[in-house]
């Protein structure tokens, strides 16, 4: 479960970074990045930040998908540990079959 918790932390971090990168990108009508330097393509001495932001968006998106798939694999491997949980054992013992209410027959009239 430790590996799953680490992957969960990485997923949260990558998701947060992906949100930031997407918000900074400049859409067609101007965006958050245009407020830092007007319409100039130079922000912090770096030219063409759009290319960097585009590549980082694809990289973070790919990393997010890979981490989610890895967490699924790790969770399936730890399934044996989860099935031996005391909480699940107690839940299995308490389950009963539900009793369905009887429907009135033609001779009986339902109470109103």
């Amino acid at each position: 479960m430790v590996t799953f918790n680490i992957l969960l932390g990485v997923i949260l971090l990558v998701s947060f970074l992906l949100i930031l990168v997407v918000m900074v990108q400049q859409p067609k009508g101007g965006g958050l990045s245009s407020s830092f330097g007007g319409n100039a393509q130079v922000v912090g001495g770096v030219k063409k930040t759009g290319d960097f932001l585009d590549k980082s968006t694809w990289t973070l998106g790919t990393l997010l998908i890979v981490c989610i798939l890895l967490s699924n694999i790790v969770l399936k491997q730890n399934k044996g540990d989860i099935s031996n949980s005391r909480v699940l054992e107690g839940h299995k013992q308490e389950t009963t079959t539900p009793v369905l209410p009887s429907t009135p027959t033609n001779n009986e009239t339902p109470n109103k």
Side-chain angles (χ1 to χ4, degrees):
M1 283 310 254
V2 175
T3 309
F4 179 74
N5 290 336
I6 292 171
L7 281 171
L8 187 61
V10 171
I11 288 170
L12 290 174
L13 179 67
V14 170
S15 299
F16 179 73
L17 291 174
L18 186 61
I19 289 170
L20 287 178
V21 168
V22 168
M23 287 183 67
V24 170
Q25 287 182 0
Q26 181 178 0
K28 292 180 181 177
L32 188 60
S33 63
S34 64
S35 64
F36 291 119
N39 290 330
Q41 289 292 325
V42 178
V43 177
V46 179
K47 293 183 180 180
K48 295 188 179 181
T49 56
D51 293 339
F52 171 74
L53 292 175
D54 189 41
K55 288 178 184 178
S56 61
T57 302
W58 282 103
T59 303
L60 288 172
T62 305
L63 183 63
L64 182 65
I65 291 171
V66 168
C67 287
I68 289 171
L69 292 175
L70 283 176
S71 68
N72 190 17
I73 292 169
V74 168
L75 192 60
K76 284 184 179 182
Q77 288 176 352
N78 293 333
K79 188 176 182 180
D81 298 338
I82 295 171
S83 64
N84 294 330
S85 173
R86 293 180 188 166
V87 175
L88 290 177
E89 287 175 4
H91 180 69
K92 287 178 186 175
Q93 293 172 356
E94 294 175 8
T95 57
T96 58
T97 56
V99 178
L100 297 175
S102 61
T103 57
T105 60
N106 291 342
N107 297 339
E108 298 176 5
T109 57
N111 295 336
K112 292 185 181 182

